[in-house]
Amino acid sequence: MSTENDLFVLNSEATGKPFQAKVGDKTLSFTHSSDLDQFALAELLAADIGDLEFITGMFKLALSDEDLATLRAANPNRKALTKLFVAYKAHNGLDVGESPASSD
């Protein structure tokens, strides 16, 4: 890491590769968690919402509008969304246990 404290230098060194998932014949590209809007992410983490709302909220942050529309059109069930989210978390090096919004 750079010894400079320049925000833009630090930010560029902390970026990660996007997570990709295939939906039908399209490949969706999920922004790496380190590159998400950190203020919006903090608000989502602090929200008093259920697991499914948290997962879809994360996907809204991580996907482009076009990719989010593709995912929504595929109409995945809860189990498929959860598996996709677990894979996204693992790609980002995040704990693959329960989501912070879990009430279990």
Side-chain angles (χ1 to χ4, degrees):
M1 183 176 238
S2 172
T3 57
E4 297 179 51
N5 288 323
D6 184 306
L7 177 61
F8 299 105
V9 170
L10 296 173
N11 195 41
S12 69
E13 291 175 350
T15 59
K17 293 184 180 181
F19 170 72
Q20 296 186 326
K22 199 132 173 97
V23 173
D25 62 348
K26 179 143 170 79
T27 300
L28 306 183
S29 184
F30 295 73
T31 302
H32 193 278
S33 63
S34 64
D35 296 331
L36 295 175
D37 176 335
Q38 297 300 299
F39 290 100
L41 180 57
E43 290 171 357
L44 182 62
L45 288 167
D48 185 21
I49 55 177
D51 290 346
L52 188 57
E53 292 85 359
F54 181 80
I55 290 169
T56 57
M58 282 295 294
F59 290 164
K60 287 176 183 176
L61 290 177
L63 289 168
S64 68
D65 290 342
E66 179 183 342
D67 284 351
L68 181 60
T70 299
L71 180 61
R72 290 182 79 149
N75 196 25
N77 62 27
R78 177 185 287 255
K79 187 174 183 178
L81 284 173
T82 300
K83 285 186 172 192
L84 182 59
F85 183 63
V86 168
Y88 173 70
K89 285 181 14 175
H91 170 84
N92 287 288
L94 303 173
D95 177 22
V96 292
E98 294 183 18
S99 74
S102 178
S103 59
D104 295 345

